[in-house]
Amino acid sequence: RGFGGSQHIHREGFYSSGIQGGMVPNAAGMALSNKLDGKKNVSVSFIGDGTLGQGIIYETFNFISKHDIPHVIVVENNRYSQSTSQPETLSGSVEARATAFNINYFEGSTNEPSKLVETVGQAVSFAREKQRPAIVEIHTYRLNAHSKGDDDRCPEEVSNARSADSLNVFLQSATSDFQARLHEFDNYVDDIIEKMLNSEDSIDIKSEIRTTKASVLTEKKVELSNQPSTHTKEINTALKDIFKTNSSALYLGEDVKDPYGGAFKTTKGLTDENPGRVINMPISEPMITGVALGSATTQRLTFCEIMFGDFIALAADQILNHVSKMKNMFGKSLTTPLIIRTPMGGGRGYGATHSQCIEKHFLGIPGVNTFMFHPRVNSNRFYKNLSLELETPALVFEHKLLYSQDPNKKLPKEYDLYESEEKFPYSRLKTQEDADITVVALGGTGVLLERIIDDITEEEVYLDIFYPLNLNSKSLLSAISKSVQSTQKILFIEEGTPGYSIADGILSEVSQAIGATTTFSSRILTSEAMPIAASTYLEKQILPQSEDIEAYIWELFDE
């Protein structure tokens, strides 16, 4: 369909990418899924010797060896990485690498084609019969430039290799009849390409992209349950129910198996009820994400848990270049039921690398639906709905402060809870009174906001509060815009850092929607632009607090 080009060729069971080594964990995930189904399929990954510089290769080596995955890694050793010769960048040998990970090693050369075919056959048979990985190193030589004209190699070296090349040697001795057959086949291929180029078929990208016009949806009042709960309990119950309903669902992550049950205990008991379908993964976020994507490519519902949201930055390449692009890059023929879960945020004293809210860095990636939990989200219903109709891979951010919160906690005085009538609704707190200020509270900041609402209400100041869930929602933007037209004042509360934030994006959309017809005042409360301290005393100064929210509300109200 014109998206992939030569780097992204696709046919059923065949995928290629321009990211060096990026699809190796994807192939491992496909092999894992097939093995769980009792199939004898073997995944084969082709990489070059230059790709051995990528860390994700070794992370995958470790996984496929430890879990006995039938995955054959073919290393085409052509002695060059684009223009750099192998001795300049590569230490050690391919065989030593295989040995280090307890993976069987096979070796062959393109100068001995008959023997090479036999060797590769042995490697594939070994992987299939023993259900174990294998590495095949193929010694060869790149006769042409890596791309276009970037070739600085010694001409004599290339000429000697070209003369010794087994295919060229064969063609030189081929009969005239064989040469004629080759020419006939070349013409056949040329005809196919010419027909494709002259085809009247065309693709209208804009008509294929969903351009649903934003509109304000009907909202329904939500009656809270009388049964106390926590978001941890609700998520845990949802996962158990999903796994009962979907007998092939798979869960991958660090420390997610029983008895530990995950860093925040959301998978507690899931292993005991589903042996073999909850897997403790090595500490390698890109590999975990890549394997999960590969599993989802086989149409298996796959959950991928990143222990702390800060670590999702390590998986950014998989999310940006693989998870988000799978469908379009391979001709829209794929669906990947993948759910990536991760806890975000501070307030727990975990310090600079375990407390950040970095959602904004992933919000602008097309091909991934992003969700952000809030205090009043029905997390049980959310995950059940998401698992049933997962057209696009989902990235779910859950603030750590929410896990212990009761979603059925008593509402602030004079406020009712509403939800938009859609699959993944935003929530809204509002009163019967006309609102003075529109408030958009992102993630865990709603917990801080609800602590002070009663005090604000006693002063007869009323808020129209929005809790976003689906950060890609157009209906949310429409509802906020309509509210601002009435209040003419809006406050955003976000725990992320200032500058190009989620709040900035929503404010821009609202401004465009309202246009010049309404003048309004706005404020954005964020964390301070600095690392988050482990000291509770300092952490409170860096992160938004309830008193900060109240101060911003009064400042806006007095304008």
Side-chain angles (χ1 to χ4, degrees):
R1 290 173 56 88
F3 282 92
S6 61
Q7 293 189 22
H8 308 296
I9 301 170
H10 168 58
R11 192 181 176 92
E12 184 179 358
F14 185 95
Y15 312 85
S16 64
S17 173
I19 302 298
Q20 294 291 302
M23 296 202 81
V24 174
N26 303 160
M30 295 177 195
L32 169 64
S33 181
N34 285 323
K35 182 174 181 176
L36 289 173
D37 283 339
K39 298 177 181 178
K40 289 291 185 178
N41 299 48
V42 173
S43 283
V44 183
S45 293
F46 287 85
I47 64 174
D49 53 291
T51 307
L52 294 171
Q54 290 284 358
I56 199 168
I57 295 294
Y58 306 104
E59 296 166 15
T60 307
F61 284 179
N62 178 59
F63 173 74
I64 61 178
S65 180
K66 192 64 183 176
H67 288 272
D68 296 324
I69 306 297
H71 187 181
V72 177
I73 312 287
V74 178
V75 183
E76 298 181 3
N77 189 345
N78 64 21
R79 296 162 49 185
Y80 283 92
S81 302
Q82 190 158 330
S83 66
T84 305
S85 64
Q86 188 180 109
E88 289 187 64
T89 57
L90 195 64
S91 177
S93 67
V94 177
E95 182 177 9
R97 285 164 165 77
T99 301
F101 289 96
N102 193 28
I103 298 177
N104 274 40
Y105 171 80
F106 298 82
E107 186 177 21
S109 170
T110 52
N111 284 336
E112 299 177 294
S114 297
K115 186 177 179 181
L116 176 59
V117 169
E118 181 181 347
T119 299
V120 171
Q122 291 171 351
V124 173
S125 295
F126 168 83
R128 196 185 308 279
E129 294 167 10
K130 302 294 184 182
Q131 291 291 284
R132 286 282 299 160
I135 291 177
V136 182
E137 180 179 13
I138 299 179
H139 297 283
T140 186
Y141 189 85
R142 195 186 73 220
L143 299 179
N144 294 326
H146 170 266
S147 61
K148 299 179 180 178
D150 57 351
D151 201 343
D152 300 314
R153 295 175 295 175
C154 173
E156 185 178 358
E157 175 189 326
V158 178
S159 178
N160 291 337
R162 192 180 299 279
S163 298
D165 178 73
S166 56
L167 184 57
N168 284 332
V169 170
F170 170 75
L171 290 175
Q172 288 171 6
S173 61
T175 63
S176 57
D177 179 57
F178 186 84
Q179 296 283 6
R181 289 173 60 195
L182 279 182
H183 183 68
E184 180 182 341
F185 188 76
D186 282 342
N187 290 336
Y188 170 72
V189 173
D190 288 342
D191 287 343
I192 292 176
I193 294 172
E194 189 66 25
K195 288 177 181 177
M196 289 180 176
L197 291 174
N198 294 328
S199 172
E200 293 182 1
D201 294 339
S202 61
I203 300 170
D204 186 350
I205 295 296
K206 290 185 179 180
S207 68
E208 292 187 1
I209 298 174
R210 293 181 178 179
T211 55
T212 305
K213 188 177 180 180
S215 60
V216 178
L217 297 178
T218 304
E219 297 173 349
K220 61 180 180 180
K221 187 175 179 180
V222 177
E223 299 296 337
L224 297 178
S225 170
N226 294 324
Q227 297 297 320
S229 187
T230 65
H231 283 290
T232 294
K233 182 178 179 180
E234 294 299 314
I235 294 169
N236 181 262
T237 302
L239 291 174
K240 289 179 179 178
D241 289 345
I242 290 167
F243 271 63
K244 285 179 183 177
T245 304
N246 189 327
S247 61
S248 68
L250 183 65
Y251 202 101
L252 307 177
E254 298 168 16
D255 299 303
V256 293
K257 286 180 64 175
D258 292 321
Y260 193 68
F264 297 94
K265 310 308 173 190
T266 56
T267 55
K268 193 80 172 175
L270 194 63
T271 310
D272 294 339
E273 297 178 9
N274 305 278
R277 293 200 283 144
V278 181
I279 299 177
N280 273 347
M281 300 293 281
I283 300 175
S284 168
E285 287 74 17
M287 186 273 294
I288 297 171
T289 308
V291 169
L293 173 60
S295 170
T297 301
T298 68
Q299 305 310 299
R300 182 186 296 275
L301 174 63
T302 306
F303 288 85
C304 165
E305 179 178 317
I306 305 298
M307 183 184 283
F308 280 82
D310 314 64
F311 308 158
I312 204 169
L314 295 162
D317 172 61
Q318 281 294 320
I319 295 170
L320 176 64
N321 285 313
H322 298 278
V323 172
S324 70
K325 292 182 172 62
M326 272 284 187
K327 190 171 187 67
N328 276 324
M329 197 164 71
F330 297 129
K332 290 187 175 292
S333 60
L334 286 175
T335 55
T336 47
L338 172 65
I339 299 174
I340 304 173
R341 295 182 55 232
T342 190
M344 285 283 183
R348 299 284 293 265
Y350 290 156
T353 58
H354 291 68
S355 306
Q356 301 166 96
C357 279
I358 59 173
E359 298 95 338
K360 67 179 182 180
H361 298 293
F362 295 85
L363 184 55
I365 301 176
V368 178
N369 274 345
T370 49
F371 300 91
M372 179 182 282
F373 274 18
H374 57 75
R376 300 297 176 174
V377 66
N378 188 326
S379 44
N380 184 302
R381 183 186 64 196
F382 167 80
Y383 273 118
K384 287 180 179 177
N385 285 344
L386 188 62
S387 67
L388 290 174
E389 297 183 43
L390 197 58
E391 296 180 4
T392 304
L395 185 52
V396 186
F397 302 113
E398 305 166 1
H399 197 286
K400 292 189 280 291
L401 290 182
L402 298 176
Y403 289 128
S404 60
Q405 293 290 313
D406 184 355
N408 300 314
K409 180 182 177 181
K410 185 179 178 180
L411 292 169
K413 295 177 184 178
E414 300 188 34
Y415 279 82
D416 293 314
L417 177 64
Y418 292 82
E419 283 184 348
S420 57
E421 293 196 290
E422 53 187 328
K423 189 188 302 181
F424 304 114
Y426 61 82
S427 295
R428 188 173 184 178
L429 291 179
K430 57 183 181 180
T431 70
Q432 297 294 326
E433 307 293 335
D434 292 335
D436 298 292
I437 302 172
T438 303
V439 179
V440 180
L442 294 158
T445 63
V447 175
L448 307 174
L449 174 63
E450 290 194 20
R451 291 174 185 170
I452 61 165
I453 293 179
D454 286 344
D455 293 339
I456 301 294
T457 305
E458 286 183 6
E459 300 295 330
E460 297 186 352
V461 174
Y462 300 97
L463 310 176
D464 190 6
I465 301 168
F466 289 87
Y467 289 149
L469 173 61
N470 181 0
L471 296 178
N472 307 92
S473 170
K474 293 182 179 179
S475 61
L476 169 67
L477 295 172
S478 296
I480 293 173
S481 299
K482 185 176 181 180
S483 175
V484 172
Q485 284 178 309
S486 173
T487 64
Q488 298 183 5
K489 296 176 181 180
I490 185 168
L491 169 64
F492 292 91
I493 315 166
E494 179 177 356
E495 197 174 302
T497 52
Y500 303 99
S501 63
I502 297 174
D504 288 328
I506 297 176
L507 181 57
S508 173
E509 294 275 1
V510 169
S511 298
Q512 292 180 56
I514 295 176
T517 59
T518 303
T519 301
F520 65 96
S521 301
S522 64
R523 296 287 190 280
I524 299 177
L525 174 60
T526 66
S527 295
E528 298 296 333
M530 62 187 304
I532 300 170
S535 160
T536 302
Y537 170 72
L538 295 176
E539 184 184 44
K540 286 183 176 180
Q541 296 181 52
I542 295 169
L543 301 178
Q545 301 298 311
S546 295
E547 52 267 32
D548 299 321
I549 298 173
E550 188 168 2
Y552 269 62
I553 288 173
W554 290 123
E555 184 180 311
L556 262 178
F557 181 76
D558 290 337
E559 280 196 0

